[in-house]
Amino acid sequence: ATVSVLYCSFVFKKMSVWPARCQAVCKMLGTRHPIVAAPMAGVTNVEMVAAASNCGILGVHGIAYKTPEEVASELQQISKKTTSPFGLNFFVVPSSRPEDATSEELKAARESLTRFDQTLSLNSMTDTPLKKTWQNYKEQLEAVSQSGVEVKILSTTFGALSKEEITDIRKQHPTAVIMGTATSVPEAIHLEQTGCDVIVAQGAESGGHRGTFLHEFGKGMIGTFTLVPQVVSAVSVPVIAAGGIMDGKGIAAALALGSSGVSLGTAFLTSLESPAPADYKKSLTDGRGQSTVITSHYSGRPARAVANKFTDEMEDTPKARFPFQHSITTALKKKAREEQHDLAMYLCGQGAPMCRTDQPTISQIVETLFDEYKEAVSNLAP
């Protein structure tokens, strides 16, 4: 009887570990678990990244809106809070200048937003010069190289680095893992061909901006469960599943589709370390988060957010391209978060109602995810 109990205990422990391909990704990323805390530009901060990496998953900082100086400073801060690997995420978009925006598109976009001027006590900005509120990823990469801080993972979205750029990065950062975001099979193949080590397959359920870059956005609106197995079959590098994964059951399901790991963002928005405002966190689980929409009116680029008065009223109205629309709406977004929540930009995925409401730490969420995953796997055993 004792031998039987020991054998059953051994079998359970054997079953509860991550599959071999996940262990390989863990080794590549320097983590205990094949889980990525997704970069969420505008939300992710130093504390979130360090806390994620400290509990055995990969913390990735969304630095898209950070100046090179801010990037260097926050790299130093993260390195003081964790000795574990962490990553940075860049928006790979062509360099833009305020003067690149046409007067016609700026005027039309600004006139669409004047309906909110009185509500938010904003001054009409229809004729003011466009202020640059976006950054150049090449300058950010240079800041990383000059910082003296070793960054384990460099991830991209909105586009693909060229082969030449990846070659240059490897000269500066020989041990860095390059991670690209794909919303379709053609994008995944393209990323592998340029030299990416890992591909994040971003399903349509994902919160925040869509990573589509090779074709029009509609062609990249493929659900996670449909996208992941196709990408896994199309490329030879590891695939990380992203979109709608909120608990251990979702992790087990994503791995069953052939992914080597998972990326969760919305699941960490209600964590203790998350700097998301109180109403942002509340909106995810109080019923508002059950309705999300893809909107381009906050930034000029499609992103999934909580549906609200702003997304309803702005639908089908003129908007500027990214990053110009992002710049135009900066003041509105700040004021709305502070005063008019039904206009605020609350980016999140379709799994938002599954967020944990007791404001656990990231470490507690990861521990729970692992326990849920083991339970899900054991429930599948004959």
Side-chain angles (χ1 to χ4, degrees), residues 14-288:
K14 197 76 173 171
M15 288 174 56
S16 67
V17 299
W18 300 106
R21 66 179 183 279
C22 297
Q23 293 179 41
V25 159
C26 287
K27 185 176 181 180
M28 178 187 290
L29 302 181
T31 62
R32 293 198 306 276
H33 304 299
I35 300 173
V36 176
M40 296 178 282
V43 175
T44 316
N45 63 5
V46 168
E47 286 70 26
M48 284 189 77
V49 175
S53 290
N54 280 334
C55 64
I57 67 174
L58 182 70
V60 184
H61 197 3
I63 62 167
Y65 304 124
K66 305 286 184 181
T67 65
E69 293 74 24
E70 289 171 330
V71 171
S73 173
E74 295 191 8
L75 274 176
Q76 296 292 341
Q77 293 176 52
I78 295 171
S79 67
K80 290 177 182 177
K81 292 178 179 291
T82 183
T83 57
S84 299
F86 62 91
L88 297 178
N89 178 260
F90 305 83
F91 284 179
V92 178
V93 292
S95 179
S96 298
R97 303 167 301 165
E99 53 266 35
D100 293 334
T102 67
S103 58
E104 292 79 9
E105 71 174 318
L106 292 181
K107 182 178 180 181
R110 282 168 165 163
E111 287 179 348
S112 296
L113 294 166
T114 55
R115 70 190 71 195
F116 304 119
D117 284 355
Q118 186 172 354
T119 303
L120 295 173
S121 300
L122 293 171
N123 294 321
S124 178
M125 299 182 296
T126 52
D127 298 316
T128 55
L130 185 66
K131 183 180 178 182
K132 187 175 184 293
T133 59
W134 60 90
Q135 303 301 322
N136 182 297
Y137 75 93
K138 294 181 180 180
E139 294 175 357
Q140 292 174 323
L141 279 168
E142 183 62 27
V144 174
S145 297
Q146 294 179 0
S147 70
V149 177
E150 181 183 357
V151 180
K152 179 71 175 179
I153 288 82
L154 298 173
S155 78
T156 64
T157 189
F158 287 20
L161 296 169
S162 67
K163 290 181 179 180
E164 293 73 25
E165 286 176 319
I166 290 181
T167 297
D168 289 342
I169 288 172
R170 295 202 190 284
K171 290 177 182 176
Q172 297 280 344
H173 310 276
T175 62
V177 175
I178 310 297
M179 188 181 293
T181 304
T183 63
S184 67
V185 169
E187 288 182 343
I189 292 172
H190 180 83
L191 288 169
E192 182 180 33
Q193 290 174 342
T194 60
C196 283
D197 302 301
V198 180
I199 292 169
V200 177
Q202 185 193 34
E205 301 93 328
S206 295
H209 285 98
R210 303 297 300 152
T212 306
F213 64 91
L214 208 57
H215 42 66
E216 57 101 4
F217 290 101
K219 292 182 179 178
M221 291 300 291
I222 306 168
T224 304
F225 270 40
T226 304
L227 178 64
V228 170
Q230 293 184 70
V231 171
V232 169
S233 297
V235 300
S236 59
V237 297
V239 175
I240 304 292
I245 304 169
M246 298 292 294
D247 58 17
K249 296 189 292 291
I251 293 173
L255 298 186
L257 296 172
S259 71
S260 297
V262 293
S263 178
L264 287 70
T266 303
F268 295 115
L269 278 174
T270 55
S271 68
L272 183 65
E273 295 89 348
S274 167
D279 190 68
Y280 191 164
K281 293 182 177 182
K282 184 181 177 183
S283 74
L284 305 177
T285 58
D286 68 1
R288 285 176 285 172

